[in-house]
Amino acid sequence: MVSMAYAEKIYKTTMVQTAPDALSLIIMLYDGAIEHVDHTIFAMEKKDYEKKSYHISKFTAIIEELLCSLDYEKGGIIAENLRDVYLFVLNEVPRASLRNDKESFSKIKHILSELRSAWREIR
């Protein structure tokens, strides 16, 4: 019998491998980051610090991937602004985590949701 976690991993891998274009991949990254922020907040509410740490590491890895994928030649000022947002998020996470500050994680989720909406509009 296949575990649910394994099935979900296979599903997500298939989604990434069959994404029609880079823009779809970017939106998928935002979706994943937002999902992990939600799980982080939930884990904080349940005082499940192991899961909190796991989900923080997942969504920060996604933000780091988005940061590394910026094309400053093509993106110009937009790429620079995204860099600043990603760096803000990455700098805010340790502070929010240490304080178990759900409000800060909610703000991070809001920022990521706004960016995801903008990318969807572009598509």
Side-chain angles (χ1 to χ4, degrees), residues 21-44:
D21 54 37
L23 188 53
S24 295
L25 284 174
I26 291 169
I27 293 167
M28 289 170 64
L29 287 169
Y30 279 109
D31 288 341
I34 292 165
E35 180 180 336
H36 284 293
V37 173
D38 280 337
H39 287 301
T40 298
I41 293 168
F42 183 75
M44 288 171 59

Side-chain angles (χ1 to χ4, degrees), residues 39-49 51 102:
H39 287 301
T40 298
I41 293 168
F42 183 75
M44 288 171 59
E45 290 170 350
K46 298 296 181 191
K47 299 187 186 314
D48 187 339
Y49 301 113
K51 283 187 181 177
K102 290 184 283 188

Side-chain angles (χ1 to χ4, degrees), residues 71-86:
D71 184 337
Y72 296 100
E73 266 186 44
K74 291 181 183 175
I77 191 74
I78 294 171
E80 291 174 14
N81 289 339
L82 285 169
R83 177 200 60 213
D84 293 344
V85 171
Y86 298 153

Side-chain angles (χ1 to χ4, degrees), residues 5-120:
Y6 180 74
E8 183 177 348
K9 183 176 181 177
I10 295 295
Y11 171 76
K12 288 181 179 180
T13 300
T14 303
M15 293 288 293
V16 168
Q17 291 173 344
T18 60
D21 54 37
L23 188 53
S24 295
L25 284 174
I26 291 169
I27 293 167
M28 289 170 64
L29 287 169
Y30 279 109
D31 288 341
I34 292 165
E35 180 180 336
H36 284 293
V37 173
D38 280 337
H39 287 301
T40 298
I41 293 168
F42 183 75
M44 288 171 59
E45 290 170 350
K46 298 296 181 191
K47 299 187 186 314
D48 187 339
Y49 301 113
E50 184 177 339
K51 283 187 181 177
K52 174 187 137 184
S53 178
Y54 171 80
H55 290 293
I56 287 173
S57 71
K58 289 293 188 180
F59 86 78
T60 56
I62 293 170
I63 300 303
E64 289 168 350
E65 182 64 32
L66 288 166
L67 180 63
C68 291
S69 70
L70 292 173
D71 184 337
Y72 296 100
E73 266 186 44
K74 291 181 183 175
I77 191 74
I78 294 171
E80 291 174 14
N81 289 339
L82 285 169
R83 177 200 60 213
D84 293 344
V85 171
Y86 298 153
L87 290 175
F88 167 79
V89 168
L90 291 172
N91 286 324
E92 184 62 23
V93 168
R95 286 187 281 263
S97 180
L98 284 173
R99 296 187 311 250
N100 283 316
D101 186 355
K102 290 184 283 188
E103 174 97 11
S104 290
F105 282 106
S106 292
K107 288 178 184 176
I108 289 169
K109 178 184 174 184
H110 178 74
I111 290 168
L112 297 175
S113 296
E114 290 292 317
L115 289 171
R116 178 186 59 192
S117 292
W119 284 107
R120 281 187 173 164

